[in-house]
Amino acid sequence: MKDRKSIKEMRDILKKRPKSKSKDVTVFTVELLMVADVSVKDRFMALYRKKDALGVLKTYFELIAFSVQDRFDSISELYPDTVVKIELSGIVIMNTTDDAPFCRDNIRKGYLQFDPALDDFAMWSLETEDLPPHDHAMWITDEILAHGRDTSTNGVSYIGMACTNGKVSIVEDYYTGRTGHIAAHELGHKYAFYF
């Protein structure tokens, strides 16, 4: 069994690492587009007055993006010459199920089948012309993600396809800080391999 180190021990080790002599810092900027399907919109409409719901939803998505940024900031602890900036390029909120065929067409027995849904979302993000420019589109859903009946997955993305048509992910929303953690994890599948 490998000897495990505590977080405190790992931070102490990182602090003792020699600082880079280079003053050059590489900055990676990721323009993140967040997409809310109807399930998320409906939840916010039920929780808040209709006139306030969309504003609260947008603020919530900004907080998720902030949480993702917070997690990516820790990369600089391991790689002092690297900075990752997450910029929210836009928030798209679906008004009807027809606005999000990538969701509607992939619900089976009450579960969102994430394999075909991810492919459909990737195609939607490529074919939809009026989306804000972005490096990555992240679909946030209140649907339960599944592969068949297995619901153990709470986020999915293509691995290592940052600069390709596969620059999308799906995150199951938990309406807690966990959602930001899952979002950062899925985004990490795209970009962490550069470091």
Side-chain angles (χ1 to χ4, degrees), residues 98-126:
D98 289 336
D99 292 340
F102 48 85
C103 181
R104 178 200 64 213
D105 297 346
N106 292 296
I107 301 287
R108 309 272 189 285
K109 297 183 179 180
Y111 300 121
L112 176 61
Q113 299 301 312
F114 62 76
D115 285 329
L118 187 64
D119 292 339
D120 290 352
F121 182 55
M123 288 306 299
W124 176 87
S125 71
L126 288 172

Side-chain angles (χ1 to χ4, degrees), residues 32-118:
L32 179 63
L33 173 67
M34 299 183 81
V35 177
D37 66 22
V38 176
S39 66
V40 173
K41 179 188 170 211
D42 286 349
R43 180 179 276 231
F44 275 80
M45 295 300 269
L47 290 172
Y48 301 95
R49 294 187 309 237
K50 284 189 178 185
K51 70 176 189 167
D52 297 336
L54 295 181
V56 173
L57 176 55
K58 288 178 181 177
T59 300
Y60 174 66
F61 271 30
E62 290 167 353
L63 290 171
I64 292 172
F66 180 79
S67 178
V68 171
Q69 178 64 64
D70 189 49
R71 293 180 189 282
F72 272 81
D73 284 346
S74 67
I75 289 171
S76 296
E77 291 179 21
L78 295 171
Y79 303 95
D81 297 340
T82 303
V83 173
V84 178
K85 290 175 53 181
I86 306 298
E87 293 183 357
L88 189 57
S89 68
I91 299 170
V92 176
I93 301 170
M94 301 297 169
N95 290 311
T96 69
T97 55
D98 289 336
D99 292 340
F102 48 85
C103 181
R104 178 200 64 213
D105 297 346
N106 292 296
I107 301 287
R108 309 272 189 285
K109 297 183 179 180
Y111 300 121
L112 176 61
Q113 299 301 312
F114 62 76
D115 285 329
L118 187 64

Side-chain angles (χ1 to χ4, degrees), residues 126-191:
L126 288 172
E127 294 172 355
T128 304
E129 295 178 10
D130 58 346
L131 295 176
H134 59 280
D135 298 313
H136 185 88
M138 183 173 287
W139 165 18
I140 308 290
T141 185
D142 194 35
E143 303 292 348
I144 298 171
L145 297 182
H147 180 77
R149 290 187 162 283
D150 178 2
T151 59
S152 61
T153 299
N154 44 25
V156 64
S157 67
Y158 300 113
I159 296 177
M161 297 179 71
C163 299
T164 69
N165 295 342
K167 54 185 184 173
V168 296
S169 59
I170 307 171
V171 173
E172 186 176 329
D173 201 349
Y174 287 86
Y175 303 95
T176 66
R178 181 177 184 189
T179 301
H181 174 77
I182 297 165
H185 176 91
E186 296 310 322
L187 200 55
H189 281 306
K190 298 284 193 226
Y191 298 98

